Amino acid sequence: MPFQSQVPPGELSEKWKQYRSSMPLVAPNNKRRLEVIIVGTGLAGGAAAATFGELGYKVKVFTFHDSPRRAHSIAAQGGINAAKNYQNDGDSVYRLFYDTIKGGDYRSREANVHRLAEVSVNIIDQAVAQGVPFARDYGGLLANRSFGGVQVSRTFYARGQTGQQLLLGAYQSLSRQISLGNVELFNRHEMIDLVMEDGKARGIIARNLLTGETERHAAHAVVLGTGGYGNVFYLSTNAMNSNGSAAWRAVKQGAYMANPCFTQIHPTCIPVSGEYQSKLTLMSESLRNDGRVWVPKSQDDAAAIREGRKTGLDIAEGDRDYYLERRYPAFGNLVPRDVASRAAKTACDEGLGVSPTGLAVYLDFDAAITRYGKSKAHSQNEHNADKNRIRELGVAVIEEKYGNLFEMYEKITGEDPYVMPMKIYPAVHYTMGGLWVDYNLQTNIPGLFAIGEANFSDHGANRLGASALMQGLADGYFVLPYTIGTFLSQEIRNPQVDPDGPAFMEAEAKAQERVNRLMGINGSKSPETFHRELGKIMWEYCGMARNAEGLQKGRRMIRELREEFWRDVYVPGQIKEYNPELEKALRVADFLELGELMMLDALDRAESCGGHFREEYQTEDGEALRRDDEFAYVSAWEWDDTDPILHKEELIFENVELKTRSYK
């Protein structure tokens, strides 16, 4: 088995202290002789490229965008977690560690999560030094707010643009290294294969998306910071270009894909509006700080709303079911995402949905507007303010906190969320699964590293809100620049890798053969048609609720669809030109294999945990039923087209007690 033994967490273990002090390093004069390829320029990839350049490594960084600023990290709205305890409300490194382990339903590796909690406190200082405009309180101190699954305020934010502002911070650091010549940027390039030489990752084959030419790029190590694979479901909150192809190309070369069925369904998304919709829009989880989730208690009222005979404003307070507050009184509307999503599905399955499709619940800010309005009026000595004045003041507070999110909602739906309660419904958002990595973030392929959402390491079966930005920046700025030395310290005597060597020529030929095969099919259906059909299968049989029969059926359907794809897909245009349909076809081909593996992984894991909910395994009140005696392990799959091979990394819990998650 290629798995390294677990290193116990942080300062909780003497063994870890000894390990940390003995990690090999690369001297500054030797860093200048070593080349590193980084694929992806989001928060993880961009931060890593900037930091590696600063350290003195020779770096090549690749993005399929026209600019690193286009990376999907800009879409993260709500905030970034850090155990600073500025609120003095009981937070600590250990509490962040514990909340993350618990939030992931005890399916993540203790050591990695504790390191993440330790490093979190440095990320904020780094971002502030870069000029990231975090929100501040009246006295000028950095402000915090709460997110789901925790009972403290540890989330730093820049209104509803946190991801964008953090990405700009990373981008300016990266731009500085590019201007100094330490980093070479390749924009509008997509990795289409990984190059292996003597059992190590030594480079990539990239396609120039503007000219269609294939290129060979060599290095001593390859880092994938290419995000998740949520778009396997077609409809998701991801940008439409987001894909899992870089990671899947590594899997086809022998890398293990870990926990692929662990997909996060985000509870706060604008509902689907039509059959031909191709993108879903996320409303930040931060809105659940002040928004109350509810549905009508009566099916008759719900039906009247769906048919347009009533609106949410017509439902009296006593006729509303604030079901999260009722079912989970300790956390209320701030339960973790998987819990909130399943609760919304249950309400809609009971006929209480409030959109024409029946798939929506309300997120209502009326109570918060009134509360903030009264507080503001009191602070301004307006003790006799009437309802209109209180509402005016309250709306101003909400607008200051969430204004851009409210504007976005109104532009998309045509409804004013300051007046009408928002309609939301769960949607595919984040993938906790990813490439298997050890404690150093190295895959089972020597020299191949995966960071951010591209790896599986930190979030278990469910990611807590505001932890994606934390992990991406932790991996890029602080973890990988340190741990990669363990591998690169053994490479300082190796000469520069030759991109014209036999391994590279063979890899390029195989990649080109795959492209030629796609172009030569000349069928009758577009890549988009196959992608949409795959998404329907995935959502139906591997979505919010799964069962053995459906997963078996779904896997058969995907195999049939895959065979049809390679028989009847039509890709217009030419290879050696700008051809986005060819890009799409290559990605859909990978999704068709990855989707099958997700079905297989979900079928193998005969338990419910986090975002993986098997209908056969639930408590009497509909909560997830884990089976720690049999499934306290990481599923690491080795791809085989006929029968993928399962490797297991047993999860050992030395510092937290395994128990049933409860937010009640």
Side-chain angles (χ1 to χ4, degrees):
M1 294 283 275
F3 298 131
Q4 296 185 7
S5 60
Q6 272 189 269
V7 182
E11 297 178 2
L12 307 180
S13 170
E14 202 60 40
K15 189 176 178 182
W16 154 230
K17 292 179 184 177
Q18 296 169 6
Y19 180 84
R20 179 163 58 182
S21 65
S22 64
M23 289 182 71
L25 298 175
V26 180
N29 59 307
N30 286 324
K31 288 188 174 84
R32 292 190 290 270
R33 301 166 56 190
L34 296 173
E35 294 183 289
V36 180
I37 284 174
I38 298 175
V39 185
T41 58
L43 285 180
T51 307
F52 280 23
E54 185 78 35
L55 288 172
Y57 291 107
K58 296 168 68 176
V59 181
K60 291 181 178 180
V61 63
F62 293 79
T63 176
F64 59 61
H65 299 289
D66 57 345
S67 166
R69 292 174 298 170
R70 301 280 189 187
H72 187 58
S73 298
I74 67 168
Q77 302 157 333
I80 177 171
N81 288 330
K84 286 286 198 181
N85 195 30
Y86 284 169
Q87 308 297 112
N88 196 28
D89 57 358
D91 201 10
S92 65
V93 166
Y94 182 83
R95 185 174 290 277
L96 175 53
F97 158 69
Y98 175 77
D99 285 344
T100 305
I101 291 283
K102 176 183 176 183
D105 220 351
Y106 304 92
R107 290 294 176 262
S108 50
R109 188 191 288 152
E110 271 193 352
N112 289 67
V113 177
H114 194 274
R115 178 178 62 188
L116 175 66
E118 288 181 303
V119 167
S120 72
V121 298
N122 299 326
I123 298 171
I124 305 304
D125 298 337
Q126 170 89 0
V128 169
Q130 292 173 333
V132 173
F134 285 121
R136 296 178 181 267
D137 64 20
Y138 181 78
L141 300 177
L142 296 181
N144 291 123
R145 57 190 178 199
S146 296
F147 258 61
V150 303
Q151 293 177 307
V152 297
S153 295
R154 65 162 67 103
T155 303
F156 296 79
Y157 61 97
R159 208 179 184 195
Q161 304 171 348
T162 314
Q164 179 177 354
Q165 297 300 331
L166 289 170
L167 186 63
L168 288 172
Y171 174 66
Q172 68 182 12
S173 296
L174 175 59
S175 296
R176 178 173 179 269
Q177 295 306 314
I178 293 171
S179 71
L180 293 172
N182 299 329
V183 176
E184 186 176 4
L185 172 67
F186 294 84
N187 66 340
R188 303 299 287 144
H189 280 67
E190 183 159 29
M191 170 183 161
I192 58 175
D193 215 342
L194 176 72
V195 181
M196 301 281 293
E197 190 174 71
D198 299 326
K200 298 178 181 179
R202 287 306 197 196
I204 66 170
I205 304 300
R207 182 170 183 270
N208 184 320
L209 299 181
L210 297 180
T211 67
E213 299 286 343
T214 55
E215 301 174 4
R216 303 181 301 276
H217 295 274
H220 293 90
V222 176
V223 179
L224 300 184
T226 50
Y229 48 87
N231 272 352
V232 70
F233 289 85
Y234 188 74
L235 283 177
S236 81
T237 66
N238 288 265
M240 291 185 66
N241 269 343
S242 297
N243 64 87
S245 282
W248 193 249
R249 292 294 94 205
V251 170
K252 297 297 286 282
Q253 292 284 2
Y256 293 169
M257 178 62 76
N259 299 333
C261 78
F262 285 169
T263 305
Q264 180 164 87
I265 313 293
H266 198 295
T268 318
C269 181
I270 297 178
V272 176
S273 60
E275 174 68 18
Y276 292 100
Q277 188 171 350
S278 58
K279 174 77 174 67
L280 295 175
T281 303
L282 177 69
M283 290 287 99
S284 169
E285 182 173 302
S286 63
L287 295 175
R288 286 198 281 142
N289 273 285
D290 289 311
R292 301 178 72 193
V293 180
W294 65 274
V295 291
K297 291 180 179 179
S298 162
Q299 290 185 352
D300 291 339
D301 282 341
I305 293 172
R306 290 195 296 270
E307 295 165 8
R309 293 182 284 111
K310 288 185 178 181
T311 71
L313 301 179
D314 297 320
I315 309 301
E317 186 72 15
D319 295 327
R320 301 178 177 186
D321 179 15
Y322 295 93
Y323 58 86
L324 291 179
E325 298 171 31
R326 170 176 56 81
R327 292 178 58 178
Y328 309 101
F331 283 74
N333 296 295
L334 286 175
V335 293
R337 293 173 176 179
D338 60 316
V339 176
S341 292
R342 284 197 299 275
K345 181 180 186 298
T346 298
C348 293
D349 288 347
E350 292 172 353
L352 300 173
V354 296
S355 72
T357 63
L359 300 178
V361 299
Y362 282 130
L363 183 63
D364 196 330
F365 290 85
D366 187 65
I369 288 172
T370 301
R371 182 177 72 252
Y372 285 128
K374 287 181 178 179
S375 177
K376 194 73 172 178
H378 191 274
S379 70
Q380 295 179 177
N381 294 318
E382 298 183 34
H383 301 299
N384 297 315
D386 60 19
K387 277 188 175 183
N388 290 336
R389 178 56 176 163
I390 288 173
R391 182 167 185 82
E392 178 187 349
L393 293 170
V395 165
V397 174
I398 293 292
E399 184 176 11
E400 183 179 356
K401 296 179 72 173
Y402 312 112
N404 59 316
L405 300 174
F406 276 54
E407 291 170 10
M408 183 166 61
Y409 181 88
E410 184 172 8
K411 287 180 180 179
I412 292 172
T413 67
E415 291 186 348
D416 183 354
Y418 293 106
V419 178
M420 300 290 294
M422 286 183 179
K423 292 175 183 175
I424 58 170
Y425 193 70
V428 171
H429 179 54
Y430 187 93
T431 48
M432 286 73 66
L435 292 173
W436 182 89
V437 292
D438 63 13
Y439 187 73
N440 289 343
L441 305 184
Q442 184 173 227
T443 70
N444 57 295
I445 294 177
L448 177 65
F449 296 79
I451 55 178
E453 193 179 356
N455 74 35
F456 87 99
S457 64
D458 292 346
H459 305 298
N462 174 64
R463 177 176 67 78
L464 292 181
S467 287
L469 303 184
M470 175 175 63
Q471 185 209 352
L473 291 181
D475 287 356
Y477 282 138
F478 298 106
V479 179
L480 185 65
Y482 187 33
T483 63
I484 200 172
T486 302
F487 174 78
L488 290 179
S489 63
Q490 307 302 314
E491 298 294 318
I492 58 177
R493 291 180 177 83
N494 290 342
Q496 186 175 5
V497 182
D498 182 10
D500 296 324
F504 283 83
M505 303 302 287
E506 182 181 350
E508 182 182 26
K510 286 184 177 179
Q512 192 62 55
E513 180 184 352
R514 184 166 177 259
V515 171
N516 293 341
R517 182 185 172 195
L518 271 174
M519 294 296 296
I521 295 172
N522 203 28
S524 62
K525 295 183 179 179
S526 68
E528 188 84 358
T529 300
F530 285 100
H531 193 184
R532 190 187 300 274
E533 185 60 32
L534 172 65
K536 290 178 180 177
I537 297 170
M538 294 299 301
W539 182 253
E540 178 68 24
Y541 300 109
C542 200
M544 272 194 285
R546 305 147 182 198
N547 59 61
E549 181 182 358
L551 290 165
Q552 291 167 347
K553 179 180 179 181
R555 186 185 181 193
R556 290 194 301 270
M557 294 176 71
I558 290 176
R559 288 191 74 88
E560 292 170 1
L561 187 65
R562 178 147 56 103
E563 292 172 3
E564 183 185 359
F565 173 87
W566 285 103
R567 186 177 63 246
D568 198 30
V569 72
Y570 172 65
V571 182
Q574 303 297 319
I575 295 175
K576 297 296 178 68
E577 67 178 7
Y578 173 67
N579 191 341
E581 284 301 297
L582 177 56
E583 298 171 38
K584 177 81 172 179
L586 288 165
R587 296 166 186 171
V588 173
D590 292 331
F591 277 146
L592 284 164
E593 293 178 340
L594 175 56
E596 180 183 346
L597 187 62
M598 293 171 68
M599 292 277 184
L600 185 59
D601 186 41
L603 182 62
D604 172 78
R605 189 169 286 277
E607 66 165 351
S608 292
C609 57
H612 168 65
F613 191 77
R614 283 283 295 271
E615 294 173 344
E616 305 96 322
Y617 303 98
Q618 55 183 302
T619 63
E620 291 182 0
D621 54 353
E623 302 295 340
L625 182 63
R626 286 200 330 268
R627 300 175 64 199
D628 296 329
D629 55 332
E630 294 188 45
F631 293 97
Y633 61 74
V634 176
S635 300
W637 293 91
E638 180 181 352
W639 177 252
D640 177 271
D641 190 58
T642 303
D643 192 13
I645 302 165
L646 175 61
H647 302 269
K648 299 178 182 179
E649 178 195 355
E650 301 297 329
L651 292 171
I652 302 168
F653 295 93
E654 298 180 337
N655 301 287
V656 297
E657 179 187 355
L658 275 171
K659 56 186 178 182
T660 301
R661 266 195 320 170
S662 176
Y663 294 95
K664 297 182 177 181

